[in-house]
Amino acid sequence: MSLAVTSTSRGRHYEALPVAIFLVLALAPLAAAFGAETYLLGLFTRVMIYGIAALALDFICGYGGLVSFGHAAFVGIGAYTAGIFSAHGITDMAITLPVALLVSALFAWLTGTVCLRTKSVYFIMITLAFGQMIYFVAGSLSPYGGDDGMTLKLRSTLFGFPVLQNDRALYYAVLVFLLASYLLCRAIVASRFGRVFRGARDNPTRMATIGYDVFRYQRVAYVIAGCLGGLSGFLLANATEFVSPSFMSWQRSGELIIMVLFGGIGTLHGAIVGAAAFLLLEDMLGGITENWKLIFGPMLVLIVLFARGGLLGLTQSLWERLRRG
Amino acid sequence: MAEPVPNPVLRIENLRKSFGGLVVTDGVSLDINAGELHAVIGPNGAGKTTLINQISGTLEPSSGAIYLNGDDITALPPNRRAERGLARSFQITSVLPRFSALENVALAVQARSGSSYQFIGRADRESALNDAAMQALTEVSLDSRADILAAHLSHGEKRALELAIALAMQPKLLLLDEPMAGTGPKESERLIVVLQRLKGRFAMMLVEHDMNAVFALADRISVLTYGRILASGAPAAVRADPAVMTAYLGEELE
Ligand SMILES: Nc1ncnc2c1ncn2[C@@H]1O[C@H](COP(=O)(O)OP(=O)(O)O)[C@@H](O)[C@H]1O
Ligand SMILES: [Mg+2]
């Protein structure tokens, strides 16, 4: 029996795109060697780190319909875990990374238990509220720099070796984490669990009446997204060698949503494109004028209004138009 | 001693539901036995959908009790009731629009076969799930449309899909809320044939305005008006009941 075509299967050029994205990211440091290497490596490392957080947000948002306005909280938690450990001289990521993920998971589990009882706008507001809560908590941690944040003495080590000390090593470590996160999300989306999670977005009542406890599935997905957010923050602390409450401000949460919309929601690799577009544009426009947000804002509105699928959707429809001639 | 009487599949005891001052279910009690098809008829606004919502658990009753195979399920959420073999269709079509017809049904199969906390392996390639789903689609003659997105199905096909989803759950009790609503006479005929074939496999509650369907299928009929059961009994008895004639059936049986 042939039962091939289903809603999860995609056309060919959809597959080519993620491959291209990761190829570009893998080769970028080679090109960077000819230019301002430290600067470009740093920029692309941040792109990939935010890519992980945006990916996680796209996972719950684009596939589960859970629009979180507090996702930066997890980035902050991951970053502060690395920061606080480092302040006490513990830098081995065999310890600090699992703890960062665990704390993120715990925060996601607890807040998810509350947030996921609500729907749509209320969900947005409550995730925002929890995000702000953790933001103020971080600001009040005076031993760890309070509102100003603190610098990390040392990047994470692995079994005593300073594996991330070199910028290139850090870059490729982040790339591996991004690739792993991407493949993980892709697998989950297509799995039994992912199908239930996607079904719950389409029609939660229907899912409940065929026997699924929608809330529990959503909470597990929320925890997964929280962990990836934490991973992103953990890497961010290493890349910038600095942590501050600003990592988890509501603006950062909003920027993550923008990245997801920008790249094309519900595609996963779109979130990476969105993170790249956002950070590169910010960087370029920021170089031209201090008021770059005045240009950036309207651009964003135009993309979201006219290209429903974000940048990916835009290139997709251009491509199809070109082929038809 | 006499043989113990087996529990009815569904027993509703003195169920009441009010929205503010409006009493929509007013002391309803009824039993549905194994294999029985119990039709509930009544004018629009009588409280039929509200009754089904309470049985399936999407709406909490104000008071009263609901038993499934002898167990009190009044406080259980809908998913737990589904696990115990309760399936339903919705008056207003309720499917997963962004999934193919096959995946809509496969999700119902998946709910009853193994854990859904599996994070790797493509669910849409699980042939055990797909085969069972295909079988349910075939029962409602929708197998040729298996790969079509539910959103792109015709209204009649969506009604059939709802039925296939319910069948895939291998229910002990099936609640059907106006399965023929909005379908043409041809499709209604087809649906009657399908239901005729399913009859006896499990208990069914059929809410329907199409009197041809009701009298062709029902073992018992209850007439609901203003949230109360006005009459309940065999089709012939209900048809002959003068109170029912005046309250509801009058013009349609002339
Ligand atoms: N959630 C609700 N809130 C208030 N009134 C409701 C609600 N649901 C149904 N009703 C009212 O209850 C009555 C019965 O509705 P319903 O059960 O849908 O009737 P039927 O299915 O028999 O046509 C109607 O008067 C309807 O307006
Ligand atoms: Mg109704």
Side-chain angles (χ1 to χ4, degrees):
Chain A
M1 211 188 302
S2 91
L3 303 164
V5 187
T6 61
S7 59
T8 46
S9 61
R10 288 265 156 86
R12 266 246 171 104
H13 42 279
Y14 277 100
E15 291 302 328
L17 202 52
V19 172
I21 290 168
F22 280 101
L23 267 180
V24 167
L25 289 173
L27 298 176
L30 305 180
F34 297 103
E37 184 172 8
T38 333
Y39 169 74
L40 283 178
L41 265 186
L43 181 59
F44 272 86
T45 303
R46 277 201 302 135
V47 162
M48 294 191 295
I49 288 172
Y50 278 104
I52 293 174
L55 190 67
L57 187 58
D58 190 29
F59 170 63
I60 51 169
C61 218
Y63 294 87
L66 305 174
V67 184
S68 165
F69 207 146
H71 205 63
F74 299 103
V75 178
I77 288 171
Y80 265 84
T81 309
I84 290 171
F85 267 123
S86 160
H88 296 282
I90 302 171
T91 55
D92 202 308
M93 59 194 274
I95 299 166
T96 55
L97 182 56
V99 172
L101 298 184
L102 211 68
V103 177
S104 305
L106 198 67
F107 187 71
W109 181 270
L110 292 174
T111 59
T113 300
V114 179
C115 300
L116 292 167
R117 300 279 182 202
T118 64
K119 299 259 142 24
S120 60
V121 178
Y122 300 100
F123 182 80
I124 297 177
M125 297 311 283
I126 294 192
T127 50
L128 173 64
F130 277 121
Q132 285 303 94
M133 190 186 84
I134 201 85
Y135 169 79
F136 286 117
V137 168
S140 70
L141 294 176
S142 37
Y144 306 108
D147 284 330
D148 300 327
M150 62 176 162
T151 47
L152 273 64
K153 287 188 215 116
L154 195 68
R155 282 185 184 165
S156 292
T157 53
L158 186 58
F159 305 123
F161 297 104
V163 288
L164 302 180
Q165 216 45 47
N166 177 293
D167 282 346
R168 255 184 206 227
L170 177 70
Y171 181 94
Y172 281 108
V174 170
L175 177 59
V176 168
F177 278 120
L178 175 65
L179 181 62
S181 306
Y182 171 73
L183 293 177
L184 179 76
C185 285
R186 258 186 78 129
I188 292 175
V189 161
S191 72
R192 275 187 170 216
F193 175 87
R195 181 152 80 172
V196 175
F197 185 52
R198 286 183 287 127
R201 170 198 60 182
D202 264 29
N203 189 341
T205 310
R206 179 34 103 184
M207 291 301 282
T209 53
I210 61 178
Y212 294 106
D213 190 342
V214 166
F215 166 77
R216 284 172 180 275
Y217 288 90
Q218 288 180 329
R219 186 166 58 181
V220 169
Y222 196 67
V223 167
I224 293 170
C227 281
L228 292 178
L231 171 66
S232 164
F234 180 87
L235 296 171
L236 188 63
N238 271 291
T240 56
E241 296 171 57
F242 174 69
V243 298
S244 106
S246 70
F247 285 18
M248 43 188 126
S249 66
W250 66 267
Q251 289 94 332
R252 286 299 173 88
S253 292
E255 284 171 13
L256 288 174
I257 295 178
I258 289 169
M259 289 173 190
V260 170
L261 289 175
F262 216 38
I265 191 167
T267 59
L268 295 180
H269 55 278
I272 304 172
V273 173
F278 184 95
L279 292 172
L280 295 180
L281 272 175
E282 181 187 63
D283 197 68
M284 275 166 19
L285 296 175
I288 299 167
T289 162
E290 234 171 77
N291 302 319
W292 61 275
K293 279 189 177 155
L294 285 182
I295 309 173
F296 195 59
M299 248 175 85
L300 190 83
V301 172
L302 287 179
I303 288 201
V304 174
L305 276 182
F306 292 106
R308 269 292 174 95
L311 288 175
L312 284 193
L314 199 64
T315 45
Q316 167 83 10
S317 50
L318 281 178
W319 171 247
E320 267 158 22
R321 224 174 262 185
L322 283 176
R323 283 215 310 194
R324 266 185 265 125
Chain B
M1 292 293 280
E3 287 269 310
V5 184
N7 284 318
V9 175
L10 177 72
R11 164 160 286 173
I12 299 175
E13 274 177 9
N14 202 17
L15 204 66
R16 286 177 62 84
K17 176 73 191 178
S18 48
F19 294 111
L22 182 67
V23 182
V24 181
T25 306
D26 194 359
V28 169
S29 297
L30 65 80
D31 283 1
I32 303 182
N33 294 312
E36 198 176 43
L37 193 150
H38 194 129
V40 174
I41 61 175
N44 277 326
K48 305 182 295 294
T49 298
T50 305
L51 181 62
I52 284 193
N53 285 344
Q54 290 169 87
I55 302 171
S56 73
T58 53
L59 195 66
E60 200 183 331
S62 305
S63 66
I66 303 166
Y67 299 89
L68 188 66
N69 290 313
D71 301 326
D72 189 345
I73 58 163
T74 319
L76 291 187
N79 57 296
R80 300 280 303 283
R81 298 182 197 206
E83 282 168 13
R84 286 166 178 253
L86 197 156
R88 72 167 289 185
S89 76
F90 290 79
Q91 181 176 357
I92 297 163
T93 306
S94 180
V95 294
L96 308 170
R98 288 187 262 197
F99 289 76
S100 69
L102 185 75
E103 276 207 284
N104 265 273
V105 184
L107 262 165
V109 180
Q110 184 184 318
R112 302 188 62 83
S113 68
S115 170
S116 282
Y117 290 98
Q118 291 180 26
F119 300 89
I120 48 167
R122 291 189 59 150
D124 63 345
R125 301 233 175 109
E126 284 194 44
S127 51
L129 302 184
N130 289 340
D131 293 350
M134 206 56 168
Q135 207 177 332
L137 283 177
T138 308
E139 290 217 57
V140 301
S141 314
L142 213 57
D143 43 325
S144 63
R145 308 281 284 160
D147 291 339
I148 309 295
L149 281 192
H152 297 160
L153 294 174
S154 75
H155 176 74
E157 287 170 338
K158 280 183 193 152
R159 304 304 300 175
L161 178 58
E162 284 235 19
L163 192 55
I165 291 171
L167 291 182
M169 293 169 66
Q170 302 181 330
K172 298 198 173 71
L173 170 67
L174 175 58
L175 312 172
L176 297 168
D177 196 355
E178 303 199 22
M180 280 133 203
T183 61
K186 262 238 172 65
E187 272 166 335
S188 293
E189 279 305 321
R190 230 183 62 195
L191 217 50
I192 291 177
V193 173
V194 172
L195 291 180
Q196 203 101 52
R197 206 169 53 224
L198 296 175
K199 219 185 118 168
R201 266 203 241 167
F202 37 76
M204 277 191 258
M205 178 186 276
L206 172 67
V207 168
E208 189 47 63
H209 281 304
D210 183 333
M211 287 305 133
N212 288 331
V214 168
F215 282 101
L217 293 165
D219 300 309
R220 289 173 68 85
I221 298 176
S222 292
V223 183
L224 200 69
T225 55
Y226 302 109
R228 284 169 192 267
I229 292 187
L230 181 69
S232 188
V238 169
R239 197 197 286 262
D241 191 319
V244 175
M245 300 270 263
T246 48
Y248 179 59
L249 289 173
E251 71 273 32
E252 282 169 72
L253 293 180
E254 292 304 336

